[in-house]
Structure formats: C-alpha cells, structure tokens
Amino acid sequence: MNYFRKKSIIDIRKQIEEGSVESRESLGKHLKTRDLASFGIAAIIGAGIFSTIGQASSAGGPAVIFLFLFTALACGFAAFAYAEFASMVPVSGSAYTYSYVAFGEIIAWIIGWALIMEYAIGNITVAISWSDYFTSLLESIHIKAIGLQGIHLPEWIQMDYMTASNGFDSATSMLKAGKDYTSLDSALQQAYLAWNNAPTLFGFHIIFDLPALFIIVLITWLVYRGMKESRNASNAMVVVKLAIILLVIAVGIFYVDMSNWSPFAPNGIAGVLKGVSAVFFAYIGFDAISTTAEECENPQRDLPRGMMWAIIICTILYMIIALILTGMVNYNELAVGDPLAYVFEKLNLKWMSGIIAVSAVVAMASVLLVFQMGQPRIWMSMSRDGLLPKQFSKIHPRFKTPSFSTIVVGFVVAIPALFMNLKMVTDLCSIGTLFAFVLVCGGVLVLQNKKDIPRGKFKTPYLNSKYIMPLALVASLTLLFTKYQEETIHFITNKKDLKSNQEILDNLSPEDLSLLRSNVINSDSVVMNKANNDVYEYYSDDKQMMLISTLKSDIFKKDESYFYNEGFSHFAEKIPTWIFILFTLFITGMAFLHNLSLIPILGLLSCLYMMSELELANWIYFTGWLLLGLVIYFGYSARNSKLNSKTEETN
C-alpha cells in the first residue's frame, strides 16, 4: 500500500469546474476580500492584545515591537505559501489539503491531525480566557439607581476543576512556607475559595466553568446556522474592537512619557525573544481563513488579499499598542494579565478600563468564532477523502454548513473547557500551528520546479536563494563564534547551569519549605519579618550562595547536583534547537543545489525557529499526539481512503 499517494491538482480543479468535488453538496459562497480580512483580524486580535502583550513587553521592553515585526514577517512568509496553495487548490482543508497535494496522504493525515489539536486547544483556551474576562466584567458592573454593586458568581462555577485543585495545592504549600493569605495572587485566592466552598458529591468537589460552556454553545449555534450569519457577527465584533483599540491609542498617546522608552531594549535581544511563544500565539488564526476557500466568491483572488491585509493591519496595531503601553508606564510593571486595563487604572482613567473590559469580551468571542468555524471544515475535508467517517462531511441542506462536524466540535471544546485548565499548554496550540506553517512552506518548495501542475493567479515572488542562504549561514556562524563565543561553546559542550533561586525553592517539598522557613525565622528573624515571613521573598537573587549553603547542611543534605541543570536532562532541553540547527544546514545545502525560492525558506526557518523556542515537553506531547493519530490512520483511514479505493480499482 502506498501511503504517500497524492491528490492531483488537475483532478481537483476539474471537479471544481464541474461543481462536484468528491460528489459533495456545495457550501454557500458568501465571502469577499473584506470579509476574509475581517475574519483574520477577528482571529488575531484577541488574547494577544489584551493579555500576552503585557508579558512580552515586560520581558523585552519597548523593543518588543521588533518581536511583533519578526513574528509578522514569519507569518507573512507563511501566508505567501498559503496564498499560493489557495490559488492553486481553492477548496476547504487548509494545510491538510495542501500537504495532500505536495507530500502525500500520510503527511496530510499528520498535519490534519495536528490541526485538530491546534483548533481544539486554541478553542478551549480562548473559551476559558473569555470566561475570566466575562466574570470580571460582571463584577465591575455598578448601577446606583437599583443598588447593584457588581454580579458575583460563586468561584466554583467560574473556574475549571484542575485550576481549582492545583491552585488549592499551591496556595496550601505557600501558606505553609509562610505566605499570608492576603498576599497570595488573586487567582490562587479564588482557587482556594472555589475548592473550599464547592459542594461535594461522594467526596468529589463539583467545580466547572459555566461561562465557558455558555459562550461555546452560543458560538457553535452561530457557526451551525450558516456562513452568512457568522460573517455578519464577525464583522460587527471586529468593528467594535477596532473602534475601542483606536480609542485606546487616541487617549493613551497623551499620557506617553518618552523617558519610559529608555533603555529601549533593557534586556537585550534575549529579553525580546523571551516572549516569542506568547507573541506568536497572538497571531494564531490567520490560517483559519484558508479553511473557508469554498465559501469565497473568488478564492484565487480574495484569499491572498484577505490574509495579507489581516496580518498587516494587526501588526501595525500591535506595534502601536506596545509603544503606547511601554510609554505610559515602565515596562517592568506590565507583567499582568490585563495590561491595557492596568495602565489606565493606574492613571485614574477607570472609565477606560470599563470600555476595555467590554472590548476584551467581544474580542475573545470573535477569536472563538473563527477557530470554531475552521475546525469542522478540516474534519469535513478529511471525511470527504475517506480518512474520517462519512458523517463528518455531511452538509446541512438549509444552512449549507458542515452540520455534524460543527456539533461534534462543540462537544469536543465544551466538555474539556468545563473541567480542564489548558492555559498551561497553549504552547501546544502554537507548536501545532507552526508545524502546519512549516509543511505549507515546504510544500511550495516541493512543487516549485514541477512544470506539469496548473498554477493559480497568485504565486510567491521568486528570489533565488542559491548564494543568499550559504552567505547568511557563514555570517551567522561567524557572529556566533566571535561575539557570542562563550555562550556558543557552552551550548555545544552542554556546560552545566546553576539554577535560579526560584527553581531551587520550587523543587523543595512542602515539608522542606516549612522546615526552611522555621530555620530562617530562628536564625534571622528581623530580616525574615521584613520579608513577611516568606522564604521566596527572603532569598532574593543576591542570597543564592546562602541558600545553597543552607540546603547543603546536615538538616537538608542536598547534594551538588540538586543545584544545577546538567547531564542528559540539560542536553534534552536543547534538542529542539539542535533540530533547528541541523535542518538549517540541510535546507541551505538544498537551496544551493536546487535554486530554491527564498521566501518559502525564510517562512519555513522562521517558523521552525519559533518551534525550537518552545520547551521540550511540548515537543514530547505533540509527538505523542501525532503517534496516536498514526494509530488511527493505520487502523482506519488508510484502508478507507478514497485514493486507496481508486488504486485498487485501477489494479
């Protein structure tokens, strides 16, 4: 059996012209360039501008604008590749369909399976985020006429089970270490209250995220009803949030203190790049536009334009907002979950905070709409090819939407969002998306020199990388072994690194933390009292040697290895970077031998670099997900593939 069998572009386009791709019912065609750009803006401007922009700015300072620019360029390079494929193969399926054409069925299945994870985790994460903003908005409502002082939902119905459980354990551990309850992070306080106040059934704490369920049901219903309704809702939400963002810029610019921009890059390039995963997550979603290809009036013209306009508009807004935020307050203060609201509250502009809260709720809903719209169309495309059961490609006769897939997606997102906290695995969403981008860029390179395939109206501009890539590689190596020689040699030789105080203390058991606190109180009660009896606050970075000495004593008996990142585990964390390095060497050689186009290579390498910045654990989880997908592929999909049936008929 040939697992790398490919779909023919000629056959697909012939079926499109006949109006019966895979003998399917057709989807409604309602989208133009304006609508596609609006979908892109709806997907991109969400959590990024209301939360992650703060974390990235606190690490990189005002220079974080260069990270937004770099990420936009990476996404722009990938968008060129998406646009070229969309022009060649204007059908639903996005990267899944493009990989089917370029690499073959098994690679298409892998990317389709990866996209299922991307959209599912993305949807769950956004739903949970929306719930947080919505409950905060309810609590901020004050109507004097009727004596309303905010609407407070019980903590146990505004939080998922895992957050409450983990938060309760963390809070308990910190309380044992000497922290006062009032000094705990507000999120930990809420988790602690949720766990303690939740009703129990047979010893099980009943805790679930009701607002998250509400928004998922609402959005799923909207997506089920039709593309025209989804388009109108998306356009309306985009108008609202763009108007509010422009208001933020117009008001905030008068409070900018230019002295806050000095130093411009306080933590250097390392600080700027520290926020790469958070900033990239802010751009996730523009690729979902390509899943709507069959619902475009003119996909070959409108899809490329819609993608590009969405990325350009959002990048400009992100950069302006980053400059406004870092100009209004010092970058150090922006490591908060709601940076826009925070800066205006600090400047006593609380009326702006209320407007921003409303905008955040609208923005999150629009992101969820686009993600919830994209996933059913991936499943529909895989079902049409026989890789998923036939029911997934069923089109509603009246609404012209993939009805069964839409309902299943609703359940897949709603049930985990009730009970699971997937905020900690948003990097999984990023790695799935980046993997898709890498394959789409690679697909353009694979098809670059093939003369027997029809081309669309859009083609990625060709720049020969034959000499550019080798020269760039030599320049990079020269820089690494001169200016950054020490860091480069340490990386190659896997030299051990001393852990931070935070890491050392985090690895202590609750019993050891409690013992350490008692020990410090007995030996240095005055300073410990100033640190609020908190060992984390007491052992600041300048007391690292003191901490190590204490933990090496006969009381704790920690050996030398406890304080260092070393050995294979230290090397393992560098494996993603080694993958990037080795692949860069490979693609440079291929560029020299085959005159490969520069733009897809830049897209591929920049996306692979961002993948390498994600922790090894995300690569392991992602690999596990792909292996599970391969079990399903070999167990069901390979045998039921329509291409497999055609091959058997031919033989």
Side-chain angles (χ1 to χ4, degrees):
M1 184 180 291
N2 179 16
Y3 297 117
F4 290 91
R5 48 191 172 237
K6 299 178 182 179
K7 295 184 77 171
S8 166
I9 295 178
I10 295 175
D11 289 345
I12 293 174
R13 295 180 72 165
K14 183 178 179 182
Q15 290 163 347
I16 292 171
E17 291 170 4
E18 294 172 356
S20 59
V21 177
E22 307 292 344
S23 302
R24 72 180 184 277
E25 299 176 77
S26 62
L27 298 169
K29 293 183 178 292
H30 304 291
L31 304 179
K32 299 179 180 179
T33 300
R34 179 184 64 252
D35 304 312
L36 294 167
S38 178
F39 275 135
I41 295 169
I44 295 171
I45 295 183
I49 211 159
F50 291 102
S51 59
T52 56
I53 194 172
Q55 298 294 333
S57 297
S58 70
V64 75
I65 62 170
F66 297 119
L67 182 55
F68 281 110
L69 189 59
F70 168 72
T71 308
L73 285 173
C75 291
F77 293 143
F80 271 112
Y82 269 91
E84 181 165 342
F85 269 115
S87 187
M88 281 193 290
V89 193
V91 294
S92 291
S94 185
Y96 158 76
T97 300
Y98 307 155
S99 296
Y100 217 145
V101 168
F103 299 107
E105 184 174 281
I106 191 169
I107 304 298
W109 167 267
I110 289 173
I111 196 60
W113 189 249
L115 288 173
I116 288 174
M117 183 193 70
E118 172 202 339
Y119 286 120
I121 291 179
N123 289 350
I124 295 166
T125 304
V126 173
I128 293 171
S129 222
W130 184 91
S131 173
D132 292 343
Y133 276 100
F134 181 70
T135 51
S136 296
L137 180 63
L138 288 180
E139 291 183 2
S140 68
I141 295 174
H142 296 283
I143 304 176
K144 290 183 180 179
I146 60 175
L148 181 64
Q149 295 295 318
I151 301 171
H152 177 73
L153 300 177
E155 284 80 3
W156 56 273
I157 63 167
Q158 58 170 290
M159 185 177 298
D160 58 89
Y161 184 90
M162 288 182 65
T163 293
S165 176
N166 295 337
F168 176 80
D169 291 342
S170 297
T172 302
S173 177
M174 289 184 178
L175 291 174
K176 286 183 178 180
K179 267 190 178 293
D180 185 76
Y181 175 78
T182 56
S183 68
L184 292 176
D185 181 86
S186 61
L188 285 180
Q189 290 185 19
Q190 287 186 341
Y192 190 81
L193 288 174
W195 189 262
N196 280 328
N197 298 335
T200 58
L201 183 64
F202 303 115
F204 181 83
H205 292 250
I206 301 173
I207 300 171
F208 58 93
D209 196 335
L210 186 61
L213 175 65
F214 165 75
I215 191 61
I216 292 167
V217 171
L218 177 63
I219 294 294
T220 301
W221 173 80
L222 187 62
V223 172
Y224 181 89
R225 288 279 300 176
M227 177 55 74
K228 188 181 292 185
E229 289 75 10
S230 300
R231 177 199 65 190
N232 293 341
S234 174
N235 288 345
M237 287 188 280
V238 165
V239 168
V240 170
K241 65 183 178 182
L242 284 183
I244 292 175
I245 287 169
L246 292 175
L247 176 63
V248 167
I249 293 171
V251 174
I253 198 168
F254 291 102
Y255 293 88
V256 168
D257 180 356
M258 295 182 68
S259 65
N260 286 326
W261 289 341
S262 180
F264 199 73
N267 299 313
I269 189 67
V272 173
L273 292 177
K274 189 176 180 181
V276 67
S277 62
V279 168
F280 178 75
F281 189 72
Y283 278 90
I284 286 178
F286 85 85
D287 59 313
I289 301 173
S290 61
T291 66
T292 66
E294 290 175 32
E295 291 145 292
C296 299
E297 292 183 2
N298 188 343
Q300 293 183 320
R301 179 197 66 195
D302 296 339
L303 271 171
R305 293 180 181 179
M307 285 184 186
M308 296 303 177
W309 275 117
I311 291 174
I312 291 169
I313 291 170
C314 292
T315 300
I316 292 171
L317 290 176
Y318 274 140
M319 292 175 70
I320 294 174
I321 288 290
L323 285 174
I324 294 287
L325 286 178
T326 53
M328 291 175 73
V329 300
N330 188 276
Y331 71 95
N332 280 318
E333 300 181 43
L334 292 172
V336 293
D338 52 349
L340 288 183
Y342 170 79
V343 295
F344 283 103
E345 280 184 8
K346 183 172 181 181
L347 295 170
N348 293 318
L349 297 172
K350 293 185 178 180
W351 62 274
M352 279 294 296
S353 297
I355 292 175
I356 289 166
V358 173
S359 179
V361 169
V362 173
M364 294 291 180
S366 69
V367 174
L368 190 60
L369 172 64
V370 178
F371 274 45
Q372 203 75 348
M373 182 181 65
Q375 185 164 337
R377 285 154 179 78
I378 300 290
W379 290 13
M380 177 188 71
S381 298
M382 296 174 75
S383 173
R384 287 173 177 171
D385 297 327
L387 304 186
L388 288 178
K390 192 178 296 183
Q391 191 73 6
F392 283 92
S393 57
K394 181 181 178 181
I395 304 298
H396 194 284
R398 177 184 169 193
F399 301 133
K400 301 299 181 183
T401 57
S403 51
F404 180 79
S405 291
T406 301
I407 292 171
V408 172
V409 166
F411 278 103
V412 167
V413 176
I415 293 173
L418 279 173
F419 307 107
M420 297 176 65
N421 177 12
L422 294 184
K423 289 183 179 179
M424 299 304 293
V425 292
T426 51
D427 283 352
L428 273 177
C429 186
S430 294
I431 201 171
T433 307
L434 287 166
F435 184 63
F437 288 3
V438 166
L439 283 184
V440 172
C441 291
V444 170
L445 295 174
V446 168
L447 299 180
Q448 171 187 303
N449 296 320
K450 294 189 176 181
K451 307 296 183 185
D452 57 341
I453 58 172
R455 301 286 175 177
K457 296 178 181 178
F458 181 88
K459 194 173 186 304
T460 304
Y462 176 77
L463 293 171
N464 193 343
S465 63
K466 182 181 182 72
Y467 299 111
I468 296 176
M469 283 302 298
L471 288 173
L473 180 62
V474 170
S476 300
L477 290 174
T478 302
L479 183 66
L480 287 172
F481 283 97
T482 52
K483 187 172 181 179
Y484 301 103
Q485 182 179 13
E486 185 177 352
E487 295 92 329
T488 302
I489 292 174
H490 285 179
F491 177 86
I492 294 172
T493 58
N494 198 40
K495 184 180 178 181
K496 65 182 182 181
D497 292 332
L498 185 64
K499 295 177 182 176
S500 67
N501 282 10
Q502 178 82 27
E503 290 176 296
I504 293 171
L505 292 170
D506 283 346
N507 290 333
L508 289 175
S509 66
E511 292 76 17
D512 279 345
L513 272 174
S514 181
L515 182 59
L516 180 63
R517 174 175 173 267
S518 300
N519 184 67
V520 176
I521 289 174
N522 291 331
S523 62
D524 194 4
S525 59
V526 175
V527 179
M528 185 63 167
N529 187 51
K530 290 180 180 178
N532 301 313
N533 289 331
D534 179 4
V535 291
Y536 282 87
E537 189 174 337
Y538 176 82
Y539 282 112
S540 54
D541 290 338
D542 61 342
K543 293 180 180 176
Q544 188 168 55
M545 290 302 103
M546 183 191 299
L547 174 60
I548 292 173
S549 177
T550 302
L551 293 179
K552 281 183 177 180
S553 68
D554 291 338
I555 301 175
F556 299 95
K557 297 180 180 179
K558 300 295 182 185
D559 59 27
E560 190 74 13
S561 62
Y562 178 83
F563 305 101
Y564 287 91
N565 294 311
E566 59 183 344
F568 178 76
S569 60
H570 188 38
F571 168 77
E573 291 297 328
K574 301 174 182 176
I575 289 176
T577 304
W578 277 112
I579 291 173
F580 170 75
I581 292 170
L582 294 175
F583 190 83
T584 300
L585 295 173
F586 167 77
I587 201 68
T588 300
M590 295 299 291
F592 183 79
L593 293 173
H594 299 286
N595 298 322
L596 297 181
S597 179
L598 181 63
I599 290 178
I601 288 180
L602 293 177
L604 189 156
L605 289 180
S606 55
C607 291
L608 188 59
Y609 169 75
M610 286 191 282
M611 285 180 71
S612 73
E613 286 291 305
L614 302 176
E615 293 181 0
L616 178 65
N618 295 296
W619 286 68
I620 294 172
Y621 296 144
F622 182 60
T623 302
W625 175 257
L626 295 185
L627 290 175
L628 174 62
L630 288 175
V631 171
I632 297 173
Y633 174 76
F634 289 116
Y636 173 87
S637 305
R639 290 183 288 104
N640 291 278
S641 166
K642 290 188 177 180
L643 283 188
N644 181 44
S645 302
K646 289 179 182 179
T647 303
E648 290 178 352
E649 289 174 8
T650 304
N651 295 336

